[in-house]
Amino acid sequence: MNRTIVIFLAFFVPVLAVLLAGLGWKTLPDNPLGWFLFVTGAVFAIGVVIVLWIRRKAIWQPRSGGVMTREEKGDRSFWLYLPGAMAAFFIPPLEYLYLPAVLPRSSAFAWTGGILVILGCTLFAWARRTLRAAYSGHLSVTSEQILVQSGPYRIVRHPAYLGYFLMSLGVCSGYSSLYGLISIPLLLMPGLVYRIRTEDKMLEGHFQDQFRAYAAHTARLIPGIW
């Protein structure tokens, strides 16, 4: 595991998670999405401490077994994806708490955001459960890895990323965050597109014709669009 990733996961993620939980808690009296941020932050903080510090498991590597045949050196796509992922979750509550409203803070925005968050969480959990041991935060392929094509992967090749995109859009909408919504095309999507292209190239190099046949009838992220 890359040393920089270890330091980030072990030290910075728990701190950021606690800050996110705090922002969620502070917005709770006025916005129900505060519960989502509070629970997400608390789960990440506790989970990282348990897995890395107590159980000492390498959560950044796949558990599918076999020899690693391909991997992304330096986790470049993760670092490009990270700023947008953080912006979509941190900017909305900060804007909600400390800046004057630009978009109307109405129940319509709150309900829309809540529905998108629920859909995103459901899709993300479904994708994660379908992948099981093939899941890895580090882009890599092992000799015993299989090309998962069941569950949500029958429709799109990256349903977990689609789930996170929906969650991000939901948080920004639910908090009526103009700057959060702007951060999605400016910060989140470029990093996400780069990571998806990198992952697809790696999978195609390993699975060859099997992946090309799979890619021919599935969208990368959004059916009918891309």
Side-chain angles (χ1 to χ4, degrees):
M1 191 188 300
N2 184 290
R3 180 180 296 180
T4 307
I5 290 289
V6 173
I7 294 173
F8 178 76
L9 291 176
F11 297 100
F12 288 98
V13 166
V15 173
L16 291 171
V18 170
L19 290 174
L20 185 65
L23 288 171
W25 184 262
K26 198 165 185 178
T27 60
L28 260 179
D30 302 310
N31 196 311
L33 272 181
W35 279 113
F36 172 68
L37 295 187
F38 175 74
V39 171
T40 300
V43 167
F44 263 87
I46 296 170
V48 168
V49 169
I50 291 175
V51 173
L52 281 182
W53 289 100
I54 299 177
R55 299 179 66 184
R56 297 184 178 276
K57 285 192 174 183
I59 59 175
W60 201 244
Q61 303 295 344
R63 294 177 288 112
S64 53
V67 179
M68 191 176 294
T69 58
R70 295 172 185 271
E71 66 172 324
E72 182 190 29
K73 301 295 184 181
D75 293 293
R76 182 180 180 183
S77 66
F78 170 77
W79 297 114
L80 289 174
Y81 170 63
L82 181 64
M86 290 179 57
F89 271 55
F90 279 89
I91 289 177
L94 288 170
E95 181 182 343
Y96 191 85
L97 288 169
Y98 302 113
L99 294 178
V102 179
L103 298 177
R105 292 175 178 175
S106 63
S107 58
F109 271 94
W111 274 102
T112 300
I115 291 171
L116 288 171
V117 165
I118 291 171
L119 289 174
C121 287
T122 302
L123 183 57
F124 184 89
W126 187 18
R128 180 68 179 82
R129 181 175 176 80
T130 303
L131 276 183
R132 295 183 182 273
Y135 171 79
S136 170
H138 175 60
L139 294 188
S140 59
V141 182
T142 66
S143 57
E144 295 184 12
Q145 187 170 326
I146 62 171
L147 183 62
V148 177
Q149 302 181 51
S150 58
Y153 291 88
R154 291 174 297 180
I155 305 169
V156 293
R157 301 201 290 278
H158 302 278
Y161 296 148
L162 177 56
Y164 190 85
F165 170 75
L166 291 174
M167 282 187 273
S168 301
L169 191 59
V171 170
C172 294
S173 300
Y175 278 105
S176 302
S177 172
L178 174 64
Y179 301 111
L181 289 169
I182 290 173
S183 76
I184 290 178
L186 289 184
L187 294 175
L188 178 63
M189 290 310 297
L192 191 58
V193 168
Y194 178 84
R195 186 169 175 86
I196 287 172
R197 289 187 182 278
T198 302
E199 190 169 338
D200 276 359
K201 185 177 180 180
M202 191 177 298
L203 291 171
E204 183 178 4
H206 181 79
F207 292 105
Q208 302 288 324
D209 290 340
Q210 184 186 9
F211 179 82
R212 286 189 281 271
Y214 168 58
H217 62 81
T218 53
R220 288 186 180 93
L221 189 68
I222 303 174
I225 298 178
W226 185 66

